Amino acid sequence: MNQIFRPSDARGDADFGWLKSKHTFSFGSYFDPNHIGFGALRVINEDRVAPSGGFPTHPHQNMEIVSYVVSGGLEHKDSLGTGSVIRPGDLQRMSAGTGVRHSEYNHSNTDPVHFLQIWIVPEADGLAPSYEQKAFPEGERQDTLRLIGSRDGREGSVVIHQDVDLYASLLSADKSVAFEIEPGRKVWLQIVKGKISVNGQALTAGDGFGLLDAGAINLAAQENAEFLLFDLAA
């Protein structure tokens, strides 16, 4: 099977003191022509923000910005009038569209926040800016692939304005789940915690893995693991 292995320690790096970030794909001052993105999936940044630290108000345009919190609380405010705290198990999607300004801060004065910020290129420019956030409890993600984001919002997932299905899983040690990559599709896996194998390829926290061919894949946990699976148009 045609595949791309992106080990954790090969990612781009940024350290601003209050922010420590790992970039799966080219971002900011980090550029790697071999890792610009994966189809419509443009950014996966693993961010750790110190207590009280955060991103002051800044603009975005024509991008689907998705946040998945691993631990702690991420406080969000935007020019749409939305204010919320994103916590583990939540998925937030902000469609920047014609333009939006927002800020993101660690909600705590004592504990860091650890989250993935994901950018997906939308299916069209000039969409009306919008915001959505939903909670997906541990029980819904345990030992299964829980759909948390999709173009049509089915199964209670967050709407993402692109042909992508985003799944989350909390996989117990010695458990496995199967997934079928349909013709004309490809898959990116991002490991958040723990250790899994995918058709024999060992993956640990921070690793990314792209699969480019149709066919069945088996995801088996060697220890308790958390990961995201992006099913995208090829």
Side-chain angles (χ1 to χ4, degrees), residues 176-189:
S176 64
V177 291
F179 187 81
E180 184 77 23
I181 305 175
E182 300 293 339
R185 310 291 294 178
K186 60 184 178 181
V187 158
W188 185 270
L189 289 160

Side-chain angles (χ1 to χ4, degrees), residues 27-225:
F27 183 85
S29 62
Y30 169 68
F31 178 73
D32 182 339
N34 297 314
H35 297 285
I36 302 295
F38 188 77
L41 180 57
R42 179 61 187 81
V43 167
I44 302 178
N45 288 348
E46 183 177 8
D47 291 344
R48 288 175 167 86
V49 178
S52 302
F55 304 87
T57 302
H58 57 281
H60 289 287
Q61 202 168 5
N62 293 322
M63 194 64 69
E64 300 287 283
I65 299 171
V66 176
S67 297
Y68 180 87
V69 173
V70 182
S71 62
L74 183 66
E75 185 171 352
H76 167 96
K77 293 181 181 178
D78 64 40
S79 55
L80 302 174
T82 308
S84 66
V85 178
I86 313 160
R87 300 195 183 277
D90 292 348
L91 190 73
Q92 177 220 63
R93 182 267 307 153
M94 185 179 71
S95 296
T98 55
V100 68
R101 296 175 62 82
H102 79 138
S103 64
E104 293 171 301
Y105 278 90
N106 187 341
H107 186 61
S108 173
N109 295 323
T110 57
D111 301 314
V113 60
H114 176 196
F115 70 103
L116 298 184
Q117 183 162 114
I118 298 153
W119 291 9
I120 296 170
V121 178
E123 57 193 356
D125 287 348
L127 298 173
S130 61
Y131 179 94
E132 188 178 9
Q133 180 176 330
K134 290 187 177 180
F136 300 92
E138 286 189 11
E140 295 185 11
R141 295 175 286 142
Q142 192 66 53
D143 299 328
T144 190
L145 289 168
R146 173 58 161 108
L147 184 69
I148 61 173
S150 66
R151 178 192 249 165
D152 57 7
R154 68 189 185 280
E155 299 176 24
S157 60
V158 168
V159 172
I160 299 173
H161 298 100
Q162 180 52 268
D163 184 6
V164 57
D165 287 337
L166 171 56
Y167 297 86
S169 182
L170 301 171
L171 199 55
S172 305
D174 300 323
K175 296 284 188 178
S176 64
V177 291
F179 187 81
E180 184 77 23
I181 305 175
E182 300 293 339
R185 310 291 294 178
K186 60 184 178 181
V187 158
W188 185 270
L189 289 160
Q190 191 67 34
I191 312 307
V192 178
K193 295 180 183 176
K195 183 184 297 185
I196 70 171
S197 67
V198 183
N199 289 5
Q201 172 68 54
L203 301 171
T204 59
D207 289 347
F209 194 53
L211 298 118
L212 302 167
D213 298 332
I217 58 174
N218 183 68
L219 304 101
Q222 279 71 57
E223 61 186 46
N224 291 346

